[in-house]
Each structure stands twice: as structure tokens, then as C-alpha cells.
PDB file of all heavy atoms in Angstrom:
ATOM      1  N   GLN A 116      -6.083 -15.299  -4.675  1.00 91.00           N
ATOM      2  CA  GLN A 116      -6.571 -16.565  -5.304  1.00 91.00           C
ATOM      3  C   GLN A 116      -7.247 -17.453  -4.273  1.00 91.00           C
ATOM      4  O   GLN A 116      -7.926 -18.401  -4.675  1.00 91.00           O
ATOM      5  CB  GLN A 116      -5.446 -17.281  -5.985  1.00 91.00           C
ATOM      6  CG  GLN A 116      -4.814 -16.510  -7.198  1.00 91.00           C
ATOM      7  CD  GLN A 116      -3.560 -17.250  -7.754  1.00 91.00           C
ATOM      8  OE1 GLN A 116      -3.478 -18.388  -7.587  1.00 91.00           O
ATOM      9  NE2 GLN A 116      -2.694 -16.454  -8.309  1.00 91.00           N
ATOM     10  N   THR A 117      -7.030 -17.183  -2.974  1.00 88.00           N
ATOM     11  CA  THR A 117      -7.596 -17.990  -1.999  1.00 88.00           C
ATOM     12  C   THR A 117      -8.903 -17.392  -1.599  1.00 88.00           C
ATOM     13  O   THR A 117      -9.059 -16.201  -1.319  1.00 88.00           O
ATOM     14  CB  THR A 117      -6.652 -18.006  -0.730  1.00 88.00           C
ATOM     15  OG1 THR A 117      -5.398 -18.382  -1.117  1.00 88.00           O
ATOM     16  CG2 THR A 117      -7.168 -18.864   0.384  1.00 88.00           C
ATOM     17  N   ILE A 118      -9.959 -18.221  -1.509  1.00 89.00           N
ATOM     18  CA  ILE A 118     -11.309 -17.785  -1.210  1.00 89.00           C
ATOM     19  C   ILE A 118     -11.351 -17.217   0.168  1.00 89.00           C
ATOM     20  O   ILE A 118     -10.730 -17.810   1.085  1.00 89.00           O
ATOM     21  CB  ILE A 118     -12.295 -18.944  -1.406  1.00 89.00           C
ATOM     22  CG1 ILE A 118     -12.387 -19.346  -2.931  1.00 89.00           C
ATOM     23  CG2 ILE A 118     -13.678 -18.627  -0.823  1.00 89.00           C
ATOM     24  CD1 ILE A 118     -13.149 -20.632  -3.145  1.00 89.00           C
ATOM     25  N   GLY A 119     -12.070 -16.220   0.385  1.00 88.00           N
ATOM     26  CA  GLY A 119     -12.264 -15.636   1.770  1.00 88.00           C
ATOM     27  C   GLY A 119     -11.965 -14.147   1.718  1.00 88.00           C
ATOM     28  O   GLY A 119     -11.525 -13.544   0.703  1.00 88.00           O
ATOM     29  N   THR A 120     -12.076 -13.524   2.888  1.00 89.00           N
ATOM     30  CA  THR A 120     -11.825 -12.123   3.096  1.00 89.00           C
ATOM     31  C   THR A 120     -10.320 -11.870   2.839  1.00 89.00           C
ATOM     32  O   THR A 120      -9.486 -12.577   3.281  1.00 89.00           O
ATOM     33  CB  THR A 120     -12.218 -11.628   4.480  1.00 89.00           C
ATOM     34  OG1 THR A 120     -13.616 -11.993   4.693  1.00 89.00           O
ATOM     35  CG2 THR A 120     -12.003 -10.168   4.625  1.00 89.00           C
ATOM     36  N   LYS A 121     -10.032 -10.767   2.157  1.00 90.00           N
ATOM     37  CA  LYS A 121      -8.697 -10.556   1.696  1.00 90.00           C
ATOM     38  C   LYS A 121      -7.910  -9.491   2.513  1.00 90.00           C
ATOM     39  O   LYS A 121      -6.799  -9.731   3.023  1.00 90.00           O
ATOM     40  CB  LYS A 121      -8.650 -10.094   0.196  1.00 90.00           C
ATOM     41  CG  LYS A 121      -9.191 -11.089  -0.743  1.00 90.00           C
ATOM     42  CD  LYS A 121      -8.299 -12.321  -0.815  1.00 90.00           C
ATOM     43  CE  LYS A 121      -8.953 -13.483  -0.029  1.00 90.00           C
ATOM     44  NZ  LYS A 121      -8.131 -14.616   0.236  1.00 90.00           N
ATOM     45  N   HIS A 122      -8.466  -8.272   2.627  1.00 93.00           N
ATOM     46  CA  HIS A 122      -7.654  -7.175   3.299  1.00 93.00           C
ATOM     47  C   HIS A 122      -8.544  -6.009   3.477  1.00 93.00           C
ATOM     48  O   HIS A 122      -9.597  -5.888   2.852  1.00 93.00           O
ATOM     49  CB  HIS A 122      -6.455  -6.787   2.425  1.00 93.00           C
ATOM     50  CG  HIS A 122      -6.751  -6.411   0.956  1.00 93.00           C
ATOM     51  ND1 HIS A 122      -6.711  -7.304  -0.046  1.00 93.00           N
ATOM     52  CD2 HIS A 122      -7.326  -5.295   0.467  1.00 93.00           C
ATOM     53  CE1 HIS A 122      -7.072  -6.645  -1.143  1.00 93.00           C
ATOM     54  NE2 HIS A 122      -7.507  -5.436  -0.836  1.00 93.00           N
ATOM     55  N   ALA A 123      -8.178  -5.098   4.357  1.00 94.00           N
ATOM     56  CA  ALA A 123      -8.801  -3.811   4.408  1.00 94.00           C
ATOM     57  C   ALA A 123      -8.010  -2.838   3.468  1.00 94.00           C
ATOM     58  O   ALA A 123      -6.798  -3.048   3.297  1.00 94.00           O
ATOM     59  CB  ALA A 123      -8.729  -3.240   5.902  1.00 94.00           C
ATOM     60  N   ALA A 124      -8.702  -1.857   2.882  1.00 95.00           N
ATOM     61  CA  ALA A 124      -8.093  -0.921   2.041  1.00 95.00           C
ATOM     62  C   ALA A 124      -8.389   0.467   2.474  1.00 95.00           C
ATOM     63  O   ALA A 124      -9.492   0.797   2.835  1.00 95.00           O
ATOM     64  CB  ALA A 124      -8.508  -1.137   0.554  1.00 95.00           C
ATOM     65  N   PHE A 125      -7.337   1.392   2.327  1.00 96.00           N
ATOM     66  CA  PHE A 125      -7.543   2.754   2.764  1.00 96.00           C
ATOM     67  C   PHE A 125      -7.159   3.674   1.604  1.00 96.00           C
ATOM     68  O   PHE A 125      -6.091   3.404   0.975  1.00 96.00           O
ATOM     69  CB  PHE A 125      -6.697   3.040   4.001  1.00 96.00           C
ATOM     70  CG  PHE A 125      -7.095   2.291   5.209  1.00 96.00           C
ATOM     71  CD1 PHE A 125      -6.440   1.019   5.425  1.00 96.00           C
ATOM     72  CD2 PHE A 125      -8.040   2.748   6.082  1.00 96.00           C
ATOM     73  CE1 PHE A 125      -6.772   0.270   6.523  1.00 96.00           C
ATOM     74  CE2 PHE A 125      -8.366   1.984   7.156  1.00 96.00           C
ATOM     75  CZ  PHE A 125      -7.789   0.705   7.369  1.00 96.00           C
ATOM     76  N   GLU A 126      -7.912   4.750   1.375  1.00 96.00           N
ATOM     77  CA  GLU A 126      -7.502   5.743   0.429  1.00 96.00           C
ATOM     78  C   GLU A 126      -6.521   6.673   1.081  1.00 96.00           C
ATOM     79  O   GLU A 126      -6.679   7.153   2.245  1.00 96.00           O
ATOM     80  CB  GLU A 126      -8.726   6.524  -0.105  1.00 96.00           C
ATOM     81  CG  GLU A 126      -8.372   7.503  -1.134  1.00 96.00           C
ATOM     82  CD  GLU A 126      -9.590   8.148  -1.768  1.00 96.00           C
ATOM     83  OE1 GLU A 126     -10.685   7.707  -1.574  1.00 96.00           O
ATOM     84  OE2 GLU A 126      -9.365   9.165  -2.601  1.00 96.00           O
ATOM     85  N   VAL A 127      -5.496   7.095   0.333  1.00 97.00           N
ATOM     86  CA  VAL A 127      -4.433   8.050   0.802  1.00 97.00           C
ATOM     87  C   VAL A 127      -4.380   9.201  -0.197  1.00 97.00           C
ATOM     88  O   VAL A 127      -4.711   9.041  -1.390  1.00 97.00           O
ATOM     89  CB  VAL A 127      -3.037   7.402   0.980  1.00 97.00           C
ATOM     90  CG1 VAL A 127      -3.174   6.270   1.986  1.00 97.00           C
ATOM     91  CG2 VAL A 127      -2.480   6.968  -0.201  1.00 97.00           C
ATOM     92  N   ASP A 128      -3.863  10.290   0.237  1.00 96.00           N
ATOM     93  CA  ASP A 128      -3.698  11.416  -0.646  1.00 96.00           C
ATOM     94  C   ASP A 128      -2.195  11.756  -1.053  1.00 96.00           C
ATOM     95  O   ASP A 128      -2.007  12.558  -1.899  1.00 96.00           O
ATOM     96  CB  ASP A 128      -4.358  12.775  -0.028  1.00 96.00           C
ATOM     97  CG  ASP A 128      -3.886  13.078   1.282  1.00 96.00           C
ATOM     98  OD1 ASP A 128      -2.876  12.543   1.702  1.00 96.00           O
ATOM     99  OD2 ASP A 128      -4.434  14.060   1.850  1.00 96.00           O
ATOM    100  N   ASP A 129      -1.340  10.983  -0.418  1.00 97.00           N
ATOM    101  CA  ASP A 129       0.104  11.264  -0.726  1.00 97.00           C
ATOM    102  C   ASP A 129       0.850   9.934  -0.528  1.00 97.00           C
ATOM    103  O   ASP A 129       1.379   9.739   0.647  1.00 97.00           O
ATOM    104  CB  ASP A 129       0.763  12.349   0.073  1.00 97.00           C
ATOM    105  CG  ASP A 129       2.152  12.722  -0.316  1.00 97.00           C
ATOM    106  OD1 ASP A 129       2.837  11.967  -1.014  1.00 97.00           O
ATOM    107  OD2 ASP A 129       2.593  13.789   0.095  1.00 97.00           O
ATOM    108  N   MET A 130       0.896   9.043  -1.515  1.00 97.00           N
ATOM    109  CA  MET A 130       1.517   7.701  -1.336  1.00 97.00           C
ATOM    110  C   MET A 130       3.010   7.822  -1.006  1.00 97.00           C
ATOM    111  O   MET A 130       3.537   7.073  -0.214  1.00 97.00           O
ATOM    112  CB  MET A 130       1.301   6.967  -2.587  1.00 97.00           C
ATOM    113  CG  MET A 130       1.703   5.441  -2.456  1.00 97.00           C
ATOM    114  SD  MET A 130       0.689   4.474  -1.293  1.00 97.00           S
ATOM    115  CE  MET A 130      -0.757   4.149  -2.417  1.00 97.00           C
ATOM    116  N   LYS A 131       3.709   8.801  -1.637  1.00 97.00           N
ATOM    117  CA  LYS A 131       5.092   9.000  -1.421  1.00 97.00           C
ATOM    118  C   LYS A 131       5.361   9.246   0.063  1.00 97.00           C
ATOM    119  O   LYS A 131       6.297   8.659   0.627  1.00 97.00           O
ATOM    120  CB  LYS A 131       5.686  10.060  -2.352  1.00 97.00           C
ATOM    121  CG  LYS A 131       7.176  10.251  -2.161  1.00 97.00           C
ATOM    122  CD  LYS A 131       7.747  11.313  -3.042  1.00 97.00           C
ATOM    123  CE  LYS A 131       9.210  11.632  -2.879  1.00 97.00           C
ATOM    124  NZ  LYS A 131       9.715  12.767  -3.503  1.00 97.00           N
ATOM    125  N   ALA A 132       4.680  10.109   0.588  1.00 97.00           N
ATOM    126  CA  ALA A 132       4.871  10.459   2.068  1.00 97.00           C
ATOM    127  C   ALA A 132       4.454   9.292   2.876  1.00 97.00           C
ATOM    128  O   ALA A 132       5.220   9.050   3.911  1.00 97.00           O
ATOM    129  CB  ALA A 132       3.964  11.730   2.382  1.00 97.00           C
ATOM    130  N   LEU A 133       3.454   8.583   2.603  1.00 97.00           N
ATOM    131  CA  LEU A 133       3.088   7.412   3.365  1.00 97.00           C
ATOM    132  C   LEU A 133       4.159   6.373   3.242  1.00 97.00           C
ATOM    133  O   LEU A 133       4.541   5.769   4.356  1.00 97.00           O
ATOM    134  CB  LEU A 133       1.778   6.860   2.852  1.00 97.00           C
ATOM    135  CG  LEU A 133       1.304   5.595   3.674  1.00 97.00           C
ATOM    136  CD1 LEU A 133       0.877   6.015   5.075  1.00 97.00           C
ATOM    137  CD2 LEU A 133       0.007   5.078   2.948  1.00 97.00           C
ATOM    138  N   LYS A 134       4.755   6.118   2.114  1.00 98.00           N
ATOM    139  CA  LYS A 134       5.850   5.130   2.054  1.00 98.00           C
ATOM    140  C   LYS A 134       7.031   5.603   2.876  1.00 98.00           C
ATOM    141  O   LYS A 134       7.657   4.719   3.547  1.00 98.00           O
ATOM    142  CB  LYS A 134       6.304   4.936   0.551  1.00 98.00           C
ATOM    143  CG  LYS A 134       7.302   3.912   0.446  1.00 98.00           C
ATOM    144  CD  LYS A 134       7.665   3.652  -1.011  1.00 98.00           C
ATOM    145  CE  LYS A 134       8.845   2.583  -1.099  1.00 98.00           C
ATOM    146  NZ  LYS A 134       9.184   2.229  -2.459  1.00 98.00           N
ATOM    147  N   GLU A 135       7.337   6.860   2.809  1.00 97.00           N
ATOM    148  CA  GLU A 135       8.494   7.349   3.689  1.00 97.00           C
ATOM    149  C   GLU A 135       8.211   7.084   5.144  1.00 97.00           C
ATOM    150  O   GLU A 135       9.105   6.689   5.900  1.00 97.00           O
ATOM    151  CB  GLU A 135       8.743   8.845   3.455  1.00 97.00           C
ATOM    152  CG  GLU A 135       9.285   9.130   2.057  1.00 97.00           C
ATOM    153  CD  GLU A 135       9.309  10.616   1.705  1.00 97.00           C
ATOM    154  OE1 GLU A 135       8.898  11.468   2.587  1.00 97.00           O
ATOM    155  OE2 GLU A 135       9.718  10.942   0.537  1.00 97.00           O
ATOM    156  N   HIS A 136       6.954   7.270   5.591  1.00 97.00           N
ATOM    157  CA  HIS A 136       6.475   7.010   6.905  1.00 97.00           C
ATOM    158  C   HIS A 136       6.685   5.496   7.249  1.00 97.00           C
ATOM    159  O   HIS A 136       7.146   5.140   8.321  1.00 97.00           O
ATOM    160  CB  HIS A 136       5.064   7.446   7.115  1.00 97.00           C
ATOM    161  CG  HIS A 136       4.408   7.063   8.435  1.00 97.00           C
ATOM    162  ND1 HIS A 136       4.727   7.677   9.602  1.00 97.00           N
ATOM    163  CD2 HIS A 136       3.487   6.032   8.634  1.00 97.00           C
ATOM    164  CE1 HIS A 136       4.014   7.068  10.590  1.00 97.00           C
ATOM    165  NE2 HIS A 136       3.291   6.125  10.043  1.00 97.00           N
ATOM    166  N   PHE A 137       6.320   4.658   6.301  1.00 98.00           N
ATOM    167  CA  PHE A 137       6.383   3.165   6.520  1.00 98.00           C
ATOM    168  C   PHE A 137       7.790   2.834   6.643  1.00 98.00           C
ATOM    169  O   PHE A 137       8.164   2.032   7.494  1.00 98.00           O
ATOM    170  CB  PHE A 137       5.654   2.458   5.420  1.00 98.00           C
ATOM    171  CG  PHE A 137       4.138   2.493   5.443  1.00 98.00           C
ATOM    172  CD1 PHE A 137       3.418   2.244   4.308  1.00 98.00           C
ATOM    173  CD2 PHE A 137       3.520   2.862   6.583  1.00 98.00           C
ATOM    174  CE1 PHE A 137       2.013   2.261   4.299  1.00 98.00           C
ATOM    175  CE2 PHE A 137       2.100   2.859   6.626  1.00 98.00           C
ATOM    176  CZ  PHE A 137       1.352   2.513   5.553  1.00 98.00           C
ATOM    177  N   VAL A 138       8.661   3.270   5.721  1.00 98.00           N
ATOM    178  CA  VAL A 138      10.083   2.980   5.791  1.00 98.00           C
ATOM    179  C   VAL A 138      10.724   3.394   7.065  1.00 98.00           C
ATOM    180  O   VAL A 138      11.513   2.690   7.741  1.00 98.00           O
ATOM    181  CB  VAL A 138      10.798   3.600   4.479  1.00 98.00           C
ATOM    182  CG1 VAL A 138      12.348   3.488   4.726  1.00 98.00           C
ATOM    183  CG2 VAL A 138      10.320   2.918   3.225  1.00 98.00           C
ATOM    184  N   ALA A 139      10.356   4.622   7.579  1.00 97.00           N
ATOM    185  CA  ALA A 139      10.824   5.109   8.852  1.00 97.00           C
ATOM    186  C   ALA A 139      10.495   4.259  10.059  1.00 97.00           C
ATOM    187  O   ALA A 139      11.135   4.119  11.012  1.00 97.00           O
ATOM    188  CB  ALA A 139      10.408   6.537   9.014  1.00 97.00           C
ATOM    189  N   HIS A 140       9.240   3.562   9.870  1.00 97.00           N
ATOM    190  CA  HIS A 140       8.752   2.624  10.964  1.00 97.00           C
ATOM    191  C   HIS A 140       9.059   1.263  10.644  1.00 97.00           C
ATOM    192  O   HIS A 140       8.514   0.287  11.276  1.00 97.00           O
ATOM    193  CB  HIS A 140       7.299   2.917  11.169  1.00 97.00           C
ATOM    194  CG  HIS A 140       6.954   4.190  11.880  1.00 97.00           C
ATOM    195  ND1 HIS A 140       6.943   5.413  11.312  1.00 97.00           N
ATOM    196  CD2 HIS A 140       6.814   4.419  13.189  1.00 97.00           C
ATOM    197  CE1 HIS A 140       6.704   6.347  12.130  1.00 97.00           C
ATOM    198  NE2 HIS A 140       6.604   5.763  13.357  1.00 97.00           N
ATOM    199  N   ASN A 141       9.940   0.954   9.694  1.00 97.00           N
ATOM    200  CA  ASN A 141      10.334  -0.454   9.328  1.00 97.00           C
ATOM    201  C   ASN A 141       9.113  -1.341   9.010  1.00 97.00           C
ATOM    202  O   ASN A 141       9.089  -2.565   9.417  1.00 97.00           O
ATOM    203  CB  ASN A 141      11.128  -1.046  10.546  1.00 97.00           C
ATOM    204  CG  ASN A 141      12.437  -0.311  10.734  1.00 97.00           C
ATOM    205  OD1 ASN A 141      13.125  -0.040   9.787  1.00 97.00           O
ATOM    206  ND2 ASN A 141      12.704  -0.017  11.957  1.00 97.00           N
ATOM    207  N   VAL A 142       8.233  -0.757   8.337  1.00 98.00           N
ATOM    208  CA  VAL A 142       6.987  -1.576   7.933  1.00 98.00           C
ATOM    209  C   VAL A 142       7.430  -2.457   6.776  1.00 98.00           C
ATOM    210  O   VAL A 142       8.052  -2.035   5.895  1.00 98.00           O
ATOM    211  CB  VAL A 142       5.831  -0.569   7.577  1.00 98.00           C
ATOM    212  CG1 VAL A 142       4.672  -1.268   6.977  1.00 98.00           C
ATOM    213  CG2 VAL A 142       5.340   0.213   8.757  1.00 98.00           C
ATOM    214  N   ASP A 143       6.860  -3.674   6.733  1.00 97.00           N
ATOM    215  CA  ASP A 143       7.045  -4.603   5.717  1.00 97.00           C
ATOM    216  C   ASP A 143       6.163  -4.195   4.478  1.00 97.00           C
ATOM    217  O   ASP A 143       4.956  -4.466   4.529  1.00 97.00           O
ATOM    218  CB  ASP A 143       6.732  -6.033   6.245  1.00 97.00           C
ATOM    219  CG  ASP A 143       7.044  -7.087   5.257  1.00 97.00           C
ATOM    220  OD1 ASP A 143       7.601  -6.836   4.196  1.00 97.00           O
ATOM    221  OD2 ASP A 143       6.748  -8.273   5.561  1.00 97.00           O
ATOM    222  N   ILE A 144       6.747  -3.669   3.512  1.00 98.00           N
ATOM    223  CA  ILE A 144       6.025  -3.350   2.267  1.00 98.00           C
ATOM    224  C   ILE A 144       6.001  -4.609   1.380  1.00 98.00           C
ATOM    225  O   ILE A 144       7.107  -4.991   0.934  1.00 98.00           O
ATOM    226  CB  ILE A 144       6.587  -2.133   1.583  1.00 98.00           C
ATOM    227  CG1 ILE A 144       6.528  -0.866   2.484  1.00 98.00           C
ATOM    228  CG2 ILE A 144       5.962  -1.855   0.231  1.00 98.00           C
ATOM    229  CD1 ILE A 144       7.254   0.349   2.030  1.00 98.00           C
ATOM    230  N   ALA A 145       4.791  -5.123   1.131  1.00 97.00           N
ATOM    231  CA  ALA A 145       4.738  -6.347   0.397  1.00 97.00           C
ATOM    232  C   ALA A 145       4.684  -6.187  -1.168  1.00 97.00           C
ATOM    233  O   ALA A 145       5.085  -7.022  -1.868  1.00 97.00           O
ATOM    234  CB  ALA A 145       3.429  -7.089   0.820  1.00 97.00           C
ATOM    235  N   HIS A 146       4.088  -5.051  -1.607  1.00 95.00           N
ATOM    236  CA  HIS A 146       3.787  -4.992  -3.051  1.00 95.00           C
ATOM    237  C   HIS A 146       3.471  -3.540  -3.337  1.00 95.00           C
ATOM    238  O   HIS A 146       2.767  -2.840  -2.645  1.00 95.00           O
ATOM    239  CB  HIS A 146       2.638  -5.827  -3.402  1.00 95.00           C
ATOM    240  CG  HIS A 146       2.240  -5.978  -4.809  1.00 95.00           C
ATOM    241  ND1 HIS A 146       3.022  -6.584  -5.699  1.00 95.00           N
ATOM    242  CD2 HIS A 146       1.261  -5.439  -5.549  1.00 95.00           C
ATOM    243  CE1 HIS A 146       2.413  -6.552  -6.935  1.00 95.00           C
ATOM    244  NE2 HIS A 146       1.326  -5.826  -6.807  1.00 95.00           N
ATOM    245  N   GLU A 147       4.036  -3.001  -4.457  1.00 97.00           N
ATOM    246  CA  GLU A 147       3.627  -1.725  -4.975  1.00 97.00           C
ATOM    247  C   GLU A 147       3.461  -1.783  -6.468  1.00 97.00           C
ATOM    248  O   GLU A 147       4.173  -2.487  -7.171  1.00 97.00           O
ATOM    249  CB  GLU A 147       4.755  -0.748  -4.756  1.00 97.00           C
ATOM    250  CG  GLU A 147       5.089  -0.405  -3.296  1.00 97.00           C
ATOM    251  CD  GLU A 147       6.227   0.500  -3.109  1.00 97.00           C
ATOM    252  OE1 GLU A 147       6.074   1.689  -3.248  1.00 97.00           O
ATOM    253  OE2 GLU A 147       7.408   0.054  -2.908  1.00 97.00           O
ATOM    254  N   VAL A 148       2.441  -1.121  -6.951  1.00 96.00           N
ATOM    255  CA  VAL A 148       2.018  -1.206  -8.368  1.00 96.00           C
ATOM    256  C   VAL A 148       1.252   0.069  -8.713  1.00 96.00           C
ATOM    257  O   VAL A 148       0.552   0.649  -7.847  1.00 96.00           O
ATOM    258  CB  VAL A 148       1.300  -2.459  -8.689  1.00 96.00           C
ATOM    259  CG1 VAL A 148      -0.102  -2.556  -8.065  1.00 96.00           C
ATOM    260  CG2 VAL A 148       1.239  -2.725 -10.188  1.00 96.00           C
ATOM    261  N   THR A 149       1.276   0.456  -9.937  1.00 96.00           N
ATOM    262  CA  THR A 149       0.298   1.440 -10.475  1.00 96.00           C
ATOM    263  C   THR A 149      -0.631   0.716 -11.406  1.00 96.00           C
ATOM    264  O   THR A 149      -0.192   0.055 -12.311  1.00 96.00           O
ATOM    265  CB  THR A 149       1.141   2.514 -11.286  1.00 96.00           C
ATOM    266  OG1 THR A 149       2.044   3.222 -10.329  1.00 96.00           O
ATOM    267  CG2 THR A 149       0.109   3.660 -11.788  1.00 96.00           C
ATOM    268  N   MET A 150      -1.935   0.953 -11.137  1.00 92.00           N
ATOM    269  CA  MET A 150      -2.959   0.271 -11.952  1.00 92.00           C
ATOM    270  C   MET A 150      -4.014   1.317 -12.320  1.00 92.00           C
ATOM    271  O   MET A 150      -4.503   1.982 -11.430  1.00 92.00           O
ATOM    272  CB  MET A 150      -3.647  -0.879 -11.116  1.00 92.00           C
ATOM    273  CG  MET A 150      -2.718  -2.001 -10.875  1.00 92.00           C
ATOM    274  SD  MET A 150      -3.399  -3.362  -9.877  1.00 92.00           S
ATOM    275  CE  MET A 150      -5.125  -3.143  -9.851  1.00 92.00           C
ATOM    276  N   ASP A 151      -4.221   1.475 -13.618  1.00 93.00           N
ATOM    277  CA  ASP A 151      -5.227   2.394 -14.091  1.00 93.00           C
ATOM    278  C   ASP A 151      -4.931   3.832 -13.520  1.00 93.00           C
ATOM    279  O   ASP A 151      -5.898   4.578 -13.166  1.00 93.00           O
ATOM    280  CB  ASP A 151      -6.654   2.017 -13.765  1.00 93.00           C
ATOM    281  CG  ASP A 151      -6.981   0.656 -14.460  1.00 93.00           C
ATOM    282  OD1 ASP A 151      -6.528   0.450 -15.518  1.00 93.00           O
ATOM    283  OD2 ASP A 151      -7.731  -0.148 -13.807  1.00 93.00           O
ATOM    284  N   GLY A 152      -3.670   4.181 -13.430  1.00 93.00           N
ATOM    285  CA  GLY A 152      -3.331   5.491 -12.947  1.00 93.00           C
ATOM    286  C   GLY A 152      -3.331   5.635 -11.442  1.00 93.00           C
ATOM    287  O   GLY A 152      -3.080   6.708 -10.955  1.00 93.00           O
ATOM    288  N   GLU A 153      -3.682   4.614 -10.720  1.00 96.00           N
ATOM    289  CA  GLU A 153      -3.768   4.709  -9.242  1.00 96.00           C
ATOM    290  C   GLU A 153      -2.509   3.960  -8.634  1.00 96.00           C
ATOM    291  O   GLU A 153      -2.169   2.898  -9.124  1.00 96.00           O
ATOM    292  CB  GLU A 153      -5.002   4.046  -8.739  1.00 96.00           C
ATOM    293  CG  GLU A 153      -6.327   4.705  -9.199  1.00 96.00           C
ATOM    294  CD  GLU A 153      -7.567   3.997  -8.645  1.00 96.00           C
ATOM    295  OE1 GLU A 153      -7.493   2.910  -8.167  1.00 96.00           O
ATOM    296  OE2 GLU A 153      -8.622   4.636  -8.818  1.00 96.00           O
ATOM    297  N   SER A 154      -1.925   4.661  -7.608  1.00 97.00           N
ATOM    298  CA  SER A 154      -0.784   3.998  -6.906  1.00 97.00           C
ATOM    299  C   SER A 154      -1.411   3.129  -5.898  1.00 97.00           C
ATOM    300  O   SER A 154      -2.290   3.481  -5.105  1.00 97.00           O
ATOM    301  CB  SER A 154       0.009   5.056  -6.226  1.00 97.00           C
ATOM    302  OG  SER A 154       0.671   5.867  -7.136  1.00 97.00           O
ATOM    303  N   VAL A 155      -0.965   1.880  -5.798  1.00 97.00           N
ATOM    304  CA  VAL A 155      -1.379   0.817  -4.918  1.00 97.00           C
ATOM    305  C   VAL A 155      -0.202   0.349  -4.136  1.00 97.00           C
ATOM    306  O   VAL A 155       0.823   0.013  -4.719  1.00 97.00           O
ATOM    307  CB  VAL A 155      -2.158  -0.286  -5.682  1.00 97.00           C
ATOM    308  CG1 VAL A 155      -2.596  -1.378  -4.658  1.00 97.00           C
ATOM    309  CG2 VAL A 155      -3.411   0.244  -6.401  1.00 97.00           C
ATOM    310  N   MET A 156      -0.364   0.181  -2.763  1.00 97.00           N
ATOM    311  CA  MET A 156       0.650  -0.419  -1.995  1.00 97.00           C
ATOM    312  C   MET A 156       0.024  -1.265  -0.968  1.00 97.00           C
ATOM    313  O   MET A 156      -0.938  -0.963  -0.276  1.00 97.00           O
ATOM    314  CB  MET A 156       1.493   0.691  -1.288  1.00 97.00           C
ATOM    315  CG  MET A 156       2.563   0.104  -0.368  1.00 97.00           C
ATOM    316  SD  MET A 156       3.641   1.353   0.521  1.00 97.00           S
ATOM    317  CE  MET A 156       3.023   2.844   0.220  1.00 97.00           C
ATOM    318  N   PHE A 157       0.662  -2.547  -0.791  1.00 97.00           N
ATOM    319  CA  PHE A 157       0.204  -3.422   0.230  1.00 97.00           C
ATOM    320  C   PHE A 157       1.304  -3.446   1.263  1.00 97.00           C
ATOM    321  O   PHE A 157       2.538  -3.522   0.967  1.00 97.00           O
ATOM    322  CB  PHE A 157       0.024  -4.866  -0.306  1.00 97.00           C
ATOM    323  CG  PHE A 157      -1.274  -5.088  -1.036  1.00 97.00           C
ATOM    324  CD1 PHE A 157      -1.433  -4.911  -2.368  1.00 97.00           C
ATOM    325  CD2 PHE A 157      -2.290  -5.585  -0.361  1.00 97.00           C
ATOM    326  CE1 PHE A 157      -2.596  -4.990  -3.003  1.00 97.00           C
ATOM    327  CE2 PHE A 157      -3.581  -5.835  -0.920  1.00 97.00           C
ATOM    328  CZ  PHE A 157      -3.677  -5.555  -2.333  1.00 97.00           C
TER     329      PHE A 157
END
């Protein structure tokens, strides 16, 4: 909702494996949602 540049986005081919990698590295997962059949994670 704040005007300005928001984020960089990357396409992935295995969200589950990526999330496991993030959890193993103590990455702060901000948000997960499925929209229009696509898995999205911030």
C-alpha cells in the first residue's frame, strides 16, 4: 500500500524444497499464500 518499489521476485520450481531450505537457514518467512494456482512466499 506504500508508494514506491516493493520487492524483487524470483520464480522457483519447487516451493516445498525452497521452504525447507529457508527453515534450515532460519530465514524469516513473512507470508505464504496460493493465488490463482500459484504458490507465493515472501
Side-chain angles (χ1 to χ4, degrees):
Q116 297 174 26
T117 305
I118 295 172
T120 304
K121 301 293 101 196
H122 54 262
F125 298 91
E126 184 176 347
V127 302
D128 58 8
D129 187 343
M130 189 68 80
K131 182 180 176 190
L133 183 64
K134 182 177 181 178
E135 290 171 1
H136 171 75
F137 288 160
V138 169
H140 284 84
N141 298 312
V142 172
D143 184 6
I144 298 173
H146 184 72
E147 295 177 82
V148 67
T149 299
M150 294 179 12
D151 298 326
E153 297 179 349
S154 294
V155 177
M156 180 177 8
F157 281 88

